[in-house]
């Protein structure tokens, strides 16, 4: 089964590691597209990943598309999907469904083959469980025939779906992904600024450890008009 991937991040790591863990690499072929630096990094780390520079090679004969792109890159990913006339099932892992579902609905992409799933990498879902419960936002347009490939993919990786509504999903991502990462980043920045008043090495190791906790994807997932307003409401609630 050939799987196409747009975007390489913690979500890609989750599924590639899951395939390795369950020894499904002979049954699942992953082909990914991203910038060359990320492609080379992931190819070295995961022997079950192919990362051709040609988009046609990524999509040709594919049975399922996993969209891992960040929110700022989502419009470009949708353009790629539309320009390449992708008509097979799509699982989208965008961290804010209020934003991403609107973009999908406003596009010309068929709505009856899209699954809007929670990002396992952003919220730290562990893949060493016997059965992984993956939350998804219910899509009333899904047609069972289009989900045959999706169901097969999830079955091979022993992933079961847990349905939730859009509001509940976005609340989980705000509290478990956005807010902790923004607070950690802000804390490290403030500590760094204040420590330099006394010494460049004051708390340097501690600040370094805090920065290493920050998810590198957070900047690409901050979209004005959606995330900022939601975080302001959460902080002041």
């Amino acid at each position: 089964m050939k799987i196409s991937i747009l975007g390489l991040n913690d979500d890609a790591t989750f599924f590639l590691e899951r395939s390795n863990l369950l020894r499904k690499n002979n049954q699942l072929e992953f082909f990914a597209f991203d910038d060359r630096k990320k492609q080379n990094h992931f190819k070295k780390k995961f022997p079950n990943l192919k990362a051709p520079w040609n988009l046609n090679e990524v999509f040709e004969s594919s049975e399922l598309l996993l969209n891992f792109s960040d929110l700022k890159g989502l419009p470009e990913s949708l353009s790629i999907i539309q320009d390449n006339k992708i008509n097979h099932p799509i699982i989208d892992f965008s961290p804010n469904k209020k934003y991403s579902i609107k973009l999908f609905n406003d596009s010309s992409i068929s709505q009856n083959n899209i699954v809007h799933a929670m990002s396992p990498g952003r919220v730290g879902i562990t893949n060493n469980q016997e059965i992984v419960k993956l939350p998804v936002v219910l899509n009333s347009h899904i047609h069972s025939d289009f989900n045959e490939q999706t169901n097969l993919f999830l079955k091979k990786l022993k992933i079961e779906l847990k349905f939730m509504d859009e509001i509940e999903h976005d609340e989980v991502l705000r509290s478990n992904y956005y807010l902790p990462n923004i607070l950690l980043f802000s804390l490290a920045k403030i500590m760094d600024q204040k420590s330099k008043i006394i010494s460049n090495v004051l708390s340097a190791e501690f600040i370094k450890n805090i920065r290493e906790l920050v998810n590198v994807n957070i900047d690409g997932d901050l979209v004005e008009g959606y995330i900022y307003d939601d975080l302001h409401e959460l902080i002041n609630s």
Side-chain angles (χ1 to χ4, degrees):
M1 182 180 189
K2 180 177 177 179
I3 315 296
S4 299
I5 292 174
L6 283 179
L8 290 167
N9 56 17
D10 290 342
D11 289 334
T13 297
F14 174 88
F15 285 99
L16 291 167
E17 287 183 345
R18 183 75 178 169
S19 180
N20 278 331
L21 182 67
L22 298 180
R23 299 179 181 177
K24 298 296 182 179
N25 293 342
N26 61 332
Q27 300 177 39
L28 299 174
E29 291 184 287
F30 294 93
F31 287 72
F33 182 79
D34 206 321
D35 68 59
R36 183 60 63 89
K37 185 177 179 180
K38 285 186 179 179
Q39 284 183 319
N40 290 337
H41 171 75
F42 270 77
K43 280 197 298 184
K44 289 177 182 178
K45 189 175 180 181
F46 298 104
N48 56 335
L49 175 71
K50 295 179 178 64
W53 192 234
N54 189 324
L55 264 173
N56 289 332
E57 293 182 48
V58 175
F59 294 133
E60 187 179 14
S61 303
S62 177
E63 297 178 65
L64 178 67
L65 170 62
L66 305 180
N67 180 50
F68 298 138
S69 60
D70 58 36
L71 286 187
K72 288 180 180 176
L74 183 57
E76 181 182 356
S77 292
L78 294 185
S79 294
I80 290 173
I81 293 170
Q82 292 173 99
D83 292 345
N84 287 272
K85 297 179 172 55
I86 304 301
N87 57 14
H88 48 260
I90 300 168
I91 306 180
D92 177 67
F93 295 88
S94 298
N96 183 272
K97 300 307 183 191
K98 181 180 178 181
Y99 176 75
S100 63
I101 290 177
K102 182 180 187 305
L103 286 189
F104 271 98
N105 289 343
D106 291 344
S107 74
S108 61
I109 300 169
S110 174
Q111 300 303 305
N112 60 0
N113 64 348
I114 302 170
V115 175
H116 299 281
M118 183 176 286
S119 163
R122 290 176 176 89
V123 297
I125 295 176
T126 58
N127 60 23
N128 57 0
Q129 308 167 67
E130 177 66 24
I131 302 293
V132 171
K133 302 283 188 180
L134 180 67
V136 298
V137 175
L138 185 62
N139 179 1
S140 60
H141 297 288
I142 284 286
H143 191 285
S144 59
D145 292 343
F146 282 93
N147 276 309
E148 182 179 348
Q149 297 95 320
T150 304
N151 290 333
L152 177 62
F153 172 71
L154 297 173
K155 184 177 181 181
K156 286 181 181 297
L157 296 184
K158 296 185 178 180
I159 296 174
E160 296 180 357
L161 301 182
K162 171 183 171 59
F163 294 98
M164 60 170 52
D165 63 36
E166 177 187 304
I167 295 174
E168 185 181 13
H169 171 279
D170 288 353
E171 286 177 348
V172 171
L173 267 292
R174 284 200 299 271
S175 62
N176 289 51
Y177 171 60
Y178 281 106
L179 193 56
N181 280 284
I182 290 173
L183 290 175
L184 286 169
F185 177 82
S186 300
L187 176 61
K189 184 176 181 180
I190 292 169
M191 288 181 67
D192 186 50
Q193 290 172 342
K194 298 303 181 184
S195 67
K196 287 179 180 177
I197 296 173
I198 303 173
S199 167
N200 284 332
V201 296
L202 184 65
S203 303
E205 188 66 25
F206 186 46
I207 294 170
K208 177 177 177 289
N209 291 338
I210 293 175
R211 282 181 172 152
E212 289 177 350
L213 293 173
V214 178
N215 191 307
V216 296
N217 300 305
I218 188 67
D219 182 61
D221 287 328
L222 294 173
V223 179
E224 208 164 339
Y226 285 83
I227 308 304
Y228 292 108
D229 293 344
D230 291 343
L231 287 172
H232 183 270
E233 180 183 339
L234 178 64
I235 291 169
N236 291 282
S237 63

